[in-house]
Amino acid sequence: MLDAMNEDFVRTARAKGLGERTVLFKHALRSAITPIITIFGMDLGAVLGGAVLLEVVFSLPGLGLLAYSSIQTQDFPVVMGVTLIAAFFIVVANIVVDVLYAAVDPRVRLS
């Protein structure tokens, strides 16, 4: 956010006479929030990967434990199904990140 406050477009907005609140939210925050959205999208994949370890360690019933037990018993259709579900959620998370980019940054357009 500090880097965004020193950019030329923020100084131009201030020079136009816009209020500090408008400059902060409409210009600086929109520019500074895109890396946060990116990190959120990447962390969602890490959460799905960490769920397998968490469910196995604490014996919680879920997709992670199902995947682990299916790998041990070599039940490949179930492993493929769990992998497909995990991949689906990661693709949906990436779509959500792309839509948020388009909503936050006016330079990005959905085609």
Side-chain angles (χ1 to χ4, degrees), residues 26-104:
K26 293 246 180 185
H27 296 279
L29 186 63
R30 280 184 143 185
S31 175
I33 204 165
T34 52
I36 295 170
I37 294 172
T38 303
I39 296 298
F40 170 74
M42 289 190 305
D43 283 347
L44 191 63
V47 166
L48 286 173
V52 174
L53 180 65
L54 183 82
E55 290 175 6
V56 170
V57 169
F58 293 109
S59 297
L60 297 171
L63 284 178
L65 189 60
L66 176 66
Y68 180 74
S69 62
S70 299
I71 290 170
Q72 283 185 332
T73 60
Q74 296 182 355
D75 190 5
F76 294 119
V78 175
V79 172
M80 288 189 299
V82 170
T83 304
L84 187 65
I85 290 171
F88 172 76
F89 283 121
I90 290 173
V91 168
V92 168
N94 283 330
I95 290 171
V96 168
V97 167
D98 289 344
V99 169
L100 284 175
Y101 272 165
V104 170

Side-chain angles (χ1 to χ4, degrees), residues 1-6 24-25 28-29 32:
M1 184 71 171
L2 292 175
D3 289 338
M5 292 298 285
N6 293 327
L24 185 68
F25 285 108
L29 186 63

